[in-house]
Amino acid sequence: MNVFVDWVVLFQIFCIVQGCTTGLWLLVSKTKQPAFFWLGWLVLGLTLQVVDFWLSRTGIYAQHNNWYFTPLFFSWGFGPLLYFAVQTWMHQPVRFKGWHLAPMMVQFAFFLFISLHTLEYKTWFWKAIHKPVTRYVEYYGMCFSMFIYLKLSLSQLPKQSGSLGWFRWFLTGLVGFYTIAVIDPLLNQWYLPERHPKFYLTEFILPVFTYWLALITLIRSRNRSIEKIKLASPVSDNHINRIIDALEKDKLYRDSDLTLDRLAQRVGLSANTVSQAINAGLGKSLPDYLNELRVNDIKQRLQRGEAQQFSLLGIALDAGFGSKTTFNRVFKEHTGQSPSAYLKECQTTRWDDSGQRTSHV
């Protein structure tokens, strides 16, 4: 078998090795962060697409026609996986929704279906359907998905990102890259040589992105491990009290944009110290703690009859919830009732100062 080799092929091999080893390590590491699970699958998905580029550039596909349409493309899942990783980085609870990855499964099924056919069928499909139509659907579907999930990911970051400022710049850079990626295939026929790959931009940039993501994840995970070792000492009562005062007495939980970094700045501690104090000292995560405080705040205000002056949603937003959907879900998880059902109960019940029912109206 003759294999074409140039500097691009060598770099692709480097990225494939780096992506595979890092992706697998992220999935199996015993000390992995919650975000590592999603990052591991994202890195592996990116790496598989680089494998496809490598098979094409080396000429292996041309010598093994039966490998055409091998299902190596999972680009419709890159956006959701990145979004899930960002949510866990922001210490937000990730409630997996299968429909986020449904487009990726459709994409996989499409390539698998074509790959099981004869070479004659594949050749016809490429010329008659894929080259003029479906490859554009696949490509622009990927771009559209990335725009949606990049917007959602950026919305998870605080306006003042602190230690995550680099990540905001990275996501913003991706928005710029995919904007160019949308326009380029429509114009590159004017400056690229004939028979040049139509979507060359992603073919050359994606390996760089894969390598960078894998490398930066390894570096940051090592730094996190070092920080954890430094924070292995017992939780300070002073730290816990400072956090409780800021959240409960100063009602910082009412800030819907509150993040671990912003809370840490407020109490004058490192983000890792605050995280350890809440998890080990209070036995809960920051999102759970915030939701608990917000739900209790809403319950007290409903019991005082404030729903006669303000809307239920207005009270929820004032308590720190960012949307009606999140408010309804969290409130029911904590009380076992929908907000409207709890409000109706409050309207027919008297409460004492401690929040206990005393009588029905």
Side-chain angles (χ1 to χ4, degrees), residues 150-182:
L150 282 170
K151 181 179 180 180
L152 290 173
S153 297
L154 284 167
S155 70
Q156 296 292 313
L157 299 179
K159 295 179 181 179
Q160 298 178 343
S161 302
S163 62
L164 285 169
W166 67 272
F167 198 61
R168 174 175 286 278
W169 282 108
F170 171 66
L171 294 179
T172 304
L174 279 180
V175 173
F177 167 73
Y178 279 101
T179 300
I180 297 173
V182 166

Side-chain angles (χ1 to χ4, degrees), residues 246-293:
L247 288 175
E248 298 188 18
K249 292 185 179 180
D250 298 340
K251 299 188 183 301
L252 199 60
Y253 63 86
R254 289 185 173 179
D255 180 359
S256 60
D257 293 325
L258 184 66
T259 63
L260 182 62
D261 283 339
R262 292 185 63 178
L263 176 59
Q265 292 174 5
R266 178 65 176 266
V267 299
L269 300 170
S270 71
N272 286 287
T273 300
V274 172
S275 179
Q276 185 194 37
I278 295 174
N279 285 300
L282 300 178
K284 60 190 75 174
S285 66
L286 177 59
D288 288 340
Y289 188 21
L290 292 176
N291 286 336
E292 178 184 312
L293 293 174

Side-chain angles (χ1 to χ4, degrees), residues 179-225:
T179 300
I180 297 173
V182 166
I183 300 172
D184 182 71
L186 306 177
L187 304 176
N188 59 29
Q189 59 181 328
W190 302 106
Y191 64 86
L192 287 180
E194 189 178 356
R195 300 180 66 83
H196 197 281
K198 189 68 174 176
F199 306 118
Y200 82 102
L201 190 63
T202 52
E203 180 174 346
F204 286 101
I205 298 298
L206 192 63
V208 178
F209 172 62
T210 304
Y211 173 68
W212 183 90
L213 181 62
L215 182 63
I216 200 69
T217 301
L218 284 174
I219 293 174
R220 292 184 67 83
S221 65
R222 179 174 295 181
N223 292 341
R224 288 283 182 89
S225 298

Side-chain angles (χ1 to χ4, degrees), residues 299 303 335 337 341-342 345-346 348-360:
K299 288 169 61 179
Q303 292 167 12
T335 66
Q337 296 175 280
Y342 190 84
E345 182 179 336
C346 288
T348 58
T349 306
R350 295 187 184 279
W351 310 81
D352 59 25
D353 293 337
S354 64
Q356 298 296 318
R357 296 180 178 84
T358 57
S359 62
H360 287 281

